[in-house]
Amino acid sequence: MTYVVHRNGRAASAEELGPLAFAGYAHFTAMQVRGGQVRGLDLHLERLRSASVELFGQALPDDRVRACLRAALQAGPADLSLTATVYSPAGEFTVAGKDVEPELLARTGPAASGPRGPLALAAVEHERFLPAVKHVGEGAKTYFLRQAVLQGYDDAAFVDRRGRLSEGSIWNLAFWDGGAVVWPDAEMLGGTTMAMVRRQLDRLGVPQRVEQVTLADLPALAGAVVMNSWTPGVAVHRIGSVALPDAPSFVQLLHRAYQAEPLTAP
């Protein structure tokens, strides 16, 4: 049992991977696998489907995607990280016709659970290209992360041209007003973990709302977290120069909602 890189459901050769190492027109989804199963499988499949239509004009059938995911999982341990990347064999800087079907690259690695926190985030003015698509080749994310660390922060949070907080480098943001979860209203990537948590909070009867959040709004809030495929919530104690209070009950609530999402085998 080991970690793998598969192309279309079978072991990928160096010759096949070589061109992809220099390509940046693709999209992906990342998930944590526990006991051979994942949470929010429907959300991951929908993400790959919609992004493929956006980038390539067509999408692989769900059953073929699931078969590729199963092949990668069967070769590894029960608990691992799995990334599924969809790309066009026509490559970058080309116009591919409808006869060029997308392909899928699956990569597994050690299971992850994210940092312990609490985190301090630098506030950076930045808007992602095609924010609704989880696409590759985003050098700005790594650049702003590294710049934030050089300034004494742990990571970066993005502020759009209207002053609205949107998301983190590889995170979604969520806030707490003491009684309800506040999701930022801005152009961003809708995370699969965020979607899982939102639907489970609905089932738990926890109030939620979407509204614009600026740096000036932060002092009135009772807590903040970041979340991604690693974790449903890591506490944030500062964004820019604004301190945020500890909110352990908020973090626990998000983790409880995430745990309520059922595990499913691909």
Side-chain angles (χ1 to χ4, degrees):
M1 304 290 280
T2 186
Y3 302 119
V4 301
V5 177
H6 278 187
R7 173 177 172 266
N8 298 328
R10 59 177 179 80
S13 68
E15 290 76 12
E16 292 169 326
L17 293 176
L20 301 180
F22 300 93
Y25 192 72
H27 67 86
F28 68 102
T29 193
M31 61 195 82
Q32 289 299 310
V33 179
R34 299 295 183 266
Q37 299 180 308
V38 300
R39 288 184 168 86
L41 178 63
D42 60 320
L43 300 171
H44 288 289
L45 293 174
E46 168 57 27
R47 167 183 276 174
L48 294 178
R49 202 163 46 236
S50 61
S52 287
V53 171
E54 178 69 25
L55 294 188
F56 311 122
Q58 59 179 312
L60 294 169
D62 284 356
D63 58 351
R64 196 181 312 173
V65 173
R66 295 180 71 161
C68 291
L69 300 182
R70 285 197 301 271
L73 295 185
Q74 289 166 0
D79 296 347
L80 48 76
S81 299
L82 173 63
T83 301
T85 300
V86 180
Y87 65 96
S88 171
E92 285 188 294
F93 315 119
T94 62
V95 179
K98 291 187 177 180
D99 58 323
V100 181
E101 190 175 57
E103 299 188 350
L104 188 142
L105 199 68
R107 182 185 66 182
T108 59
S113 57
R116 291 180 58 85
L119 305 179
L121 307 180
V124 177
E125 186 174 338
H126 176 61
E127 296 179 18
R128 294 175 55 247
F129 170 69
L130 286 179
V133 176
K134 192 176 179 70
H135 50 85
V136 305
E138 292 196 273
K141 288 185 173 183
T142 301
Y143 176 81
F144 288 129
L145 163 63
R146 294 185 176 190
Q147 291 299 306
V149 171
L150 288 174
Q151 297 168 28
Y153 294 91
D154 299 298
D155 211 322
F158 298 147
V159 180
D160 69 12
R161 71 191 73 184
R162 296 169 56 184
R164 302 178 300 178
L165 285 157
S166 57
E167 57 191 327
S169 63
I170 56 170
W171 311 93
N172 282 118
L173 295 166
F175 302 95
W176 180 242
D177 71 358
V181 180
V182 181
W183 303 99
D185 181 12
E187 294 295 319
M188 70 182 79
L189 176 68
T192 54
T193 297
M194 181 177 75
M196 285 182 244
V197 168
R198 291 184 68 170
R199 68 186 179 189
Q200 293 302 329
L201 288 174
D202 277 340
R203 292 169 184 169
L204 292 170
V206 177
Q208 305 177 70
R209 67 179 186 275
V210 178
E211 68 181 31
Q212 296 181 14
V213 179
T214 69
L215 292 172
D217 297 321
L218 294 180
L221 294 171
V225 302
V226 291
M227 63 178 65
N228 63 12
S229 63
W230 291 336
T231 172
V234 177
V236 173
H237 70 91
R238 183 161 56 101
I239 300 179
S241 61
V242 184
L244 289 152
D246 292 333
S249 61
F250 177 40
V251 176
Q252 292 166 8
L253 172 64
L254 297 177
H255 280 261
R256 181 158 61 95
Y258 178 77
Q259 291 296 326
E261 181 76 18
L263 287 158
T264 306

